[in-house]
Amino acid sequence: MSHSRTKIGVAAVSAASVAAVALAGVAAQADPKEPTLGGEAPIDLKIGSAVWGQNELLDYDPDDPNEFQSILGSEFNSLTPENDMKWSELHPEPDVYDFSGADAIMEFAEANGQEVRGHTLLWHSQNPDWVNEAGGAWTCQEARDVLEDHVATVVGRYAGEIYEWDVANELIQDDWDEGGVKLRTEANPFLKACSEDPVALIGDVFRWAHEADPEAVLFLNDYNAEGINAKTDAYYDLAQELLADGAPLHGFGAQGHLSLMYGFDDSMQANFERFADLGLKVAVTEADVRMPLDENGDPTEEQIALQAERYDGMLQACLNVPACTSFTVWGFDDARSWVPGVFDEGYATIMTEEFEKKPAYFTLLESLTDATPGRSPRTPPGLNK
Ligand code: XIL
């Protein structure tokens, strides 16, 4: 196994200078002379952020970006639609598609020299009412027809423009869920309709996506899927079953939603390696590291340092496995993070609400810089336009 991306050189940005900048709390600027995460990454690894196009990009003017848009456009070379390509946003009624948010992301990415990861085509969550209501009543053939039409329409619309698709998201439940680790045949309306042979349906969703865009790299994606555990064992079996059946499965994504309330699973690299050994790509698709905060809503110094370590732990697992194609953060600033709305925790992203770069940001930057000696870094997004 090659370790060409492990740390082998002298960091261009020393730890001391990184710390000094971190302490100064310099707000992120879209200064082309400043190093960026995407610009420092090895040429075969994309660094992405999720963004909600409907909320953040409809008013985008390339000649007059706001501060958020400016950082998004310069810091990252990949974008994932945080919600805009989910069923509830894209396909609110049986015969109605709304591509406004998704198109805004595609246009922003194009203007900034970025690539796009699609998210997601088959999931038990964020489905429109009409799908949830029909789910219990569909025959398997009816569910298949609806899903095939959606996949062909959505993947076809962006064919050639999306480099990776999270085709199937969160297919397998956790060991603490009722019934234990198994396919979500109750919660997912499509799997429910086809519960006699859900794997056949899953394989066909990959086939439909592949037909619509033969170039896109097609992923399974889930949370609690970083290390080797009962859930990833089930994914390992599922991946082998799909591949044996000839399904065009190309990748396995670990979301990377971590919390400092739990430990870091050191088996992440080994987990990625076993999927890579099946011939799959791997990716960190939704990284954030949340934590419980004090009564003022602040983290401790120890938590801030540990957060940087955890982000870097995930990046190292990716850098050390050549099959790892992308490392995406689930939003880069705390003001837009999904975490406080869902968990009683916060401070999960790599920049504060005021876009101050946290130590986690500088640690990622340093690791990416260290990973590139002797390789051509990617052209910083925006500079080649
Ligand atoms: C989250 C979004 O960030 C929120 O804005 C939305 O309200 C709920 O979904 N795993 C996934 C993502 O695959 O799609 C989820 O995104 C976060 C968990």
Side-chain angles (χ1 to χ4, degrees):
M1 141 143 299
S2 150
H3 286 278
S4 55
R5 289 202 302 234
T6 47
K7 295 188 184 190
I8 51 169
V10 177
V13 180
S14 76
S17 69
V18 162
V21 181
L23 286 173
V26 178
Q29 300 288 332
D31 178 347
K33 293 185 294 293
E34 288 279 307
T36 61
L37 299 174
E40 294 302 308
I43 197 155
D44 53 354
L45 175 66
K46 293 182 189 72
I47 305 296
S49 175
V51 59
W52 195 338
Q54 195 69 42
N55 286 1
E56 308 296 341
L57 302 181
L58 292 186
D59 67 349
Y60 177 59
D61 173 356
D63 298 322
D64 188 23
N66 63 33
E67 192 176 8
F68 170 85
Q69 294 164 345
S70 170
I71 298 168
L72 183 73
S74 58
E75 199 67 61
F76 303 96
N77 47 32
S78 171
L79 300 179
T80 303
E82 182 168 354
N83 291 296
D84 306 271
M85 289 189 188
K86 293 173 180 174
W87 273 75
S88 55
E89 305 296 305
L90 270 188
H91 201 164
E93 302 291 340
D95 298 316
V96 178
Y97 282 93
D98 177 356
F99 293 107
S100 54
D103 283 354
I105 291 180
M106 302 306 293
E107 282 158 29
F108 183 91
E110 163 101 50
N112 290 282
Q114 298 165 309
E115 301 194 49
V116 178
R117 283 195 97 250
H119 177 87
T120 180
L121 302 166
L122 174 62
W123 191 24
H124 66 282
S125 186
Q126 286 181 273
N127 287 313
D129 290 343
W130 69 272
V131 168
N132 292 329
E133 282 155 19
W138 275 330
T139 64
C140 179
Q141 190 56 48
E142 286 166 341
R144 289 173 58 87
D145 289 346
V146 169
L147 194 48
E148 182 173 5
D149 176 70
H150 179 90
V151 170
T153 303
V154 174
V155 179
R157 181 180 181 87
Y158 301 115
E161 297 173 44
I162 288 193
Y163 72 106
E164 292 176 349
W165 261 107
D166 290 331
V167 169
N169 196 32
E170 302 178 355
L171 284 182
I172 295 179
Q173 54 178 47
D174 294 278
D175 50 12
W176 55 82
D177 289 323
E178 203 187 321
V181 171
K182 65 177 194 65
L183 286 171
R184 292 184 193 268
T185 41
E186 276 307 304
N188 185 311
F190 300 97
L191 295 190
K192 184 172 185 174
C194 297
S195 58
E196 277 187 19
D197 192 353
V199 178
L201 175 70
I202 295 164
D204 282 342
V205 181
F206 278 87
R207 286 187 187 90
W208 297 327
H210 187 60
E211 275 165 30
D213 186 353
E215 288 170 34
V217 180
L218 305 180
F219 275 71
L220 291 165
N221 188 53
D222 214 322
Y223 66 87
N224 191 22
E226 291 71 41
I228 294 179
N229 57 37
K231 192 174 189 175
T232 55
D233 284 349
Y235 268 107
Y236 190 64
D237 291 345
L238 175 64
Q240 286 175 294
E241 197 176 339
L242 290 168
L243 291 170
D245 198 28
L249 166 68
H250 309 131
F252 177 76
Q255 293 182 1
H257 292 296
L258 305 188
S259 167
L260 294 190
M261 290 171 75
Y262 314 107
F264 182 74
D265 193 330
D266 285 330
S267 63
M268 186 165 178
Q269 182 177 327
N271 190 40
F272 273 179
E273 277 164 352
R274 68 172 170 164
F275 282 95
D277 287 346
L278 294 179
L280 299 181
K281 302 295 184 190
V282 296
V284 180
T285 56
E286 307 184 14
D288 54 18
V289 183
R290 60 186 192 268
M291 62 196 73
L293 303 171
D294 69 16
E295 65 274 13
N296 300 318
D298 294 321
T300 65
E301 288 303 315
E302 290 75 18
Q303 285 177 310
I304 293 172
L306 196 53
Q307 179 187 51
E309 243 178 66
R310 295 280 161 87
Y311 265 107
D312 196 45
M314 290 193 276
L315 178 61
Q316 293 298 335
C318 178
L319 285 171
N320 288 338
V321 179
C324 188
T325 53
S326 59
F327 179 92
T328 294
V329 295
W330 206 243
F332 64 85
D333 65 308
D334 283 341
R336 290 163 186 77
S337 168
W338 74 302
V339 164
V342 176
F343 303 92
D344 199 10
E345 298 173 73
Y347 202 76
T349 71
I350 57 174
M351 294 188 200
T352 67
E353 295 190 4
E354 290 78 36
F355 304 124
E356 280 180 22
K357 295 167 176 173
K358 300 177 186 177
Y361 170 92
F362 289 103
T363 304
L364 294 179
L365 184 69
E366 188 182 7
S367 291
L368 291 168
T369 305
D370 286 1
T372 57
R375 313 174 63 119
S376 352
R378 299 177 62 83
T379 306
L383 294 186
N384 57 349
K385 290 272 152 183

